[in-house]
Amino acid sequence: MPKMITEQNLRLLVDTLVKEGARVVGPKQAGTMTLYEPLTKGDDLVLDQLPRRSAKEAFFPVCETILSFEKKEGKTTVLDVDVCAVPETVLFGARPCDAAAPGILDAVFSWDYKDEFFLERRRRTTIIGLACTKADDACFCTAVGLSPADMKGSDLFLTPLEGGGFSCEAPTEKGERLMARYPQLFNETDNAKPLPPAEPAVEKLDLEKIKTWLDGNFESPIWNGIADRCAGCGACAFLCPACHCFDINDEGTADKGERRKHWDACGFGKFTNHASGHNPRDIQNKRYRNRIMHKFKYYDDKFGQTLCTGCGRCIRHCPVGIDIYEILDKIGSGH
């Protein structure tokens, strides 16, 4: 049977975890924006806004060191990073579009090579999801098979109740263990009604039909018009819960430095630039075509999943107003 937790106790749970040494991440006010950030106290937690950036940074940092090196007296020493040093993490308030994404990314990060930097964070993180009760014009989770009340990816799922507080369900053992550790913070339900979930104002996309079209239309002239406005800024990829491209660079001097992973984006002009100088995606519409192909064809071909959760951030924050839902709807309806 679902339990319930008051907002006061939810914030107290943050305080308790922080005091116990856990890494606690959740929506937090950062200037004029709400971002998923480390929390130092329960009062930091923002519960009524979708953060501007996604929660993937909790598992896949913008920049991370993967080894260090030092050369002394002609001898080079290479030191690995201890991936097991990642602390226990609790991610609070992940909306369904964010909570579902790490499970989608598990496929690529454990494919031909197991990326323990990502996977160890996944193992050590408990995700507390939060149902959405409002949506804006950019939200389209329902169009790609999710919903504002979807528990996919959440270990503990909160649904806002009429009159305050949250109904709590634990879809996984991680969630059950968290509730069992702090029984004093969770109460039996008092028959309070859940607030109705948000209703994104979009029609469901026919993803199979879209993929079928993509399978046979790599050279379609439609690509010439789709991305004429694209500035190649990478905002869509950096804000997306599911985009995961990265580059690896050695930084420092010849005697001492670090090898680091940095986020990258297929929309950047030099993303596919060869050492020879040849660039197979030398113009922006080819790069935007790859973005659509990757999310709705290539990832599906390899892993049987769509690389999009419909969060709407790429629509909401595109500086030139490109709307990926409109593009997909156009493709699915035969233009």
Side-chain angles (χ1 to χ4, degrees), residues 191-241:
N191 296 319
K193 293 182 179 180
L195 291 174
E199 296 184 8
V202 292
E203 298 293 327
K204 185 174 176 59
L205 293 168
D206 188 334
L207 297 177
E208 288 189 13
K209 189 174 182 181
I210 289 169
K211 184 181 179 303
T212 298
W213 187 90
L214 294 174
D215 285 339
N217 284 278
F218 186 82
E219 298 291 354
S220 171
I222 190 176
W223 301 114
N224 296 327
I226 279 178
D228 285 347
R229 289 177 291 163
C230 181
C233 68
C236 52
F238 280 24
L239 296 175
C240 174

Side-chain angles (χ1 to χ4, degrees), residues 5 16 18 30 39 74 89 92 110 117 158 165 195 235 243 259 264 279-280 285 287 300 310 315 330:
I5 188 170
T16 303
V18 170
L39 305 177
T89 298
F92 275 77
S110 60
F117 294 91
L158 308 179
L195 291 174
C243 281
R259 178 164 293 174
D264 207 344
N279 190 342
N285 60 18
R287 296 190 275 272
D300 193 353
I315 301 171
K330 182 178 181 181

Side-chain angles (χ1 to χ4, degrees), residues 108-227:
V108 69
F109 281 111
S110 60
W111 172 45
D112 60 341
Y113 173 80
K114 294 190 180 299
D115 187 325
E116 289 299 327
F117 294 91
F118 176 87
L119 297 174
E120 191 62 27
R121 291 189 185 95
R122 286 280 286 132
R123 284 190 283 267
R124 292 173 182 260
T125 299
T126 300
I127 300 176
I128 300 179
L130 176 62
C132 295
T133 57
K134 59 182 181 180
D136 66 14
D137 292 342
C139 295
F140 67 101
C141 64
T142 52
V144 292
L146 293 173
S147 80
D150 203 315
M151 290 190 281
K152 181 180 179 181
S154 292
D155 299 301
L156 184 65
F157 191 74
L158 308 179
T159 302
L161 298 172
E162 292 181 359
F166 305 89
S167 171
C168 308
E169 296 179 74
T172 72
E173 290 185 4
K174 277 186 182 178
E176 291 174 354
R177 287 197 299 268
L178 183 67
M179 293 176 69
R181 276 171 59 186
Y182 308 101
Q184 72 279 11
L185 300 180
F186 296 89
N187 308 311
E188 297 296 332
T189 56
D190 57 4
N191 296 319
K193 293 182 179 180
L195 291 174
E199 296 184 8
V202 292
E203 298 293 327
K204 185 174 176 59
L205 293 168
D206 188 334
L207 297 177
E208 288 189 13
K209 189 174 182 181
I210 289 169
K211 184 181 179 303
T212 298
W213 187 90
L214 294 174
D215 285 339
N217 284 278
F218 186 82
E219 298 291 354
S220 171
I222 190 176
W223 301 114
N224 296 327
I226 279 178

Side-chain angles (χ1 to χ4, degrees), residues 34-80:
T34 299
L35 303 174
Y36 287 106
E37 296 256 308
L39 305 177
T40 57
K41 59 183 185 298
D43 287 344
D44 288 342
L45 187 62
V46 174
L47 294 167
D48 61 350
Q49 296 181 46
L50 176 72
R52 183 184 182 97
R53 298 201 301 260
S54 78
K56 73 180 174 186
E57 292 175 57
F59 311 95
F60 177 40
V62 176
C63 176
E64 65 180 322
T65 299
I66 59 176
L67 62 81
S68 61
F69 56 90
E70 186 172 7
K71 185 177 182 181
K72 283 185 179 179
E73 299 176 353
K75 181 181 179 181
T76 301
T77 302
V78 178
L79 296 175
D80 289 325

